[in-house]
Amino acid sequence: MSVDLPYLLNVVQEAASRAKQAFDKGSFAVQEKAKGDWASTADAEVEAFLKQALHELCPQAHFLGEEGGFSKAR
């Protein structure tokens, strides 16, 4: 399988941009998943973006994310 590195670079840059925008604007909520384990809505949104981008690149792939755990990339 060949990997489209320019596509991946764009995906990573877009994910970083989305996270930075959310944190710069303060446009996110934070919740405690477990004692001392926090997650923001920005975390979940960036993870969903990465999961979708992986699915577009490789539909049969699986995704392991900090917020959503292990699942089929979609």
Side-chain angles (χ1 to χ4, degrees), residues 24-68:
D24 285 351
K25 292 179 182 177
S27 59
F28 61 93
V30 177
Q31 66 181 29
E32 190 172 22
K33 299 186 300 184
K35 186 162 178 70
D37 186 8
W38 300 88
S40 73
T41 53
D43 296 331
E45 289 168 9
V46 169
E47 185 174 296
F49 168 76
L50 290 169
K51 188 175 177 180
Q52 178 60 38
L54 177 61
H55 175 70
E56 290 171 16
L57 179 67
C58 186
Q60 71 276 17
H62 287 79
F63 188 88
L64 177 59
E66 183 178 2
E67 307 312 331

Side-chain angles (χ1 to χ4, degrees), residues 2-15 49-58:
S2 65
V3 176
D4 184 348
L5 292 178
Y7 171 79
L8 287 177
L9 178 59
N10 286 333
V11 166
V12 170
Q13 289 173 329
E14 176 63 22
F49 168 76
L50 290 169
K51 188 175 177 180
Q52 178 60 38
L54 177 61
H55 175 70
E56 290 171 16
L57 179 67
C58 186

